[in-house]
Amino acid sequence: MRRIADMLDHPAEVVILCGCVSVKVARPGWLLVRLGPEATIEDGERRLICRKCGQRPTLKPKGIWNVTGGRDRRVDPPPMPDWVDLS
């Protein structure tokens, strides 16, 4: 199960692709507000509708490269889920 909430503490985004070549990039928090706290990527693909053409989009979770300073003392978040594309 690919829960959107698992990506919250990570530098990640979800690319929303539609058949009409419409592309939107969303943060996991935005999707959770729209879909609910227990939503999965599959729920988003079933429930979201493209505003331009009315088709169901495809959601592709992606990790974002972040560079922090050498003195960053924050506690590391849990590991990124293995289903998130890091390329």
Side-chain angles (χ1 to χ4, degrees):
M1 181 172 3
R2 303 184 305 167
R3 291 182 56 230
I4 297 171
D6 293 341
M7 300 185 333
L8 274 181
D9 292 333
H10 298 286
E13 58 190 18
V14 179
V15 180
I16 303 170
L17 304 166
C18 183
C20 70
V21 194
S22 174
V23 176
K24 181 174 182 167
V25 178
R27 295 285 183 177
W30 180 85
L31 285 171
L32 289 178
V33 168
R34 297 207 27 118
L35 301 173
E38 294 298 319
T40 63
I41 295 294
E42 293 77 16
D43 291 338
E45 290 177 343
R46 279 194 310 270
R47 294 174 53 195
L48 295 177
I49 297 174
C50 178
R51 289 184 178 183
K52 293 182 181 177
C53 69
Q55 295 180 25
R56 302 278 180 199
T58 301
L59 277 61
K60 296 193 181 263
K62 290 190 74 153
I64 303 171
W65 282 94
N66 265 355
V67 178
T68 59
R71 295 183 160 217
D72 187 8
R73 297 182 190 267
R74 292 179 289 181
V75 176
D76 289 339
M80 181 79 83
D82 59 352
W83 47 265
V84 176
D85 181 23
L86 296 175
S87 58

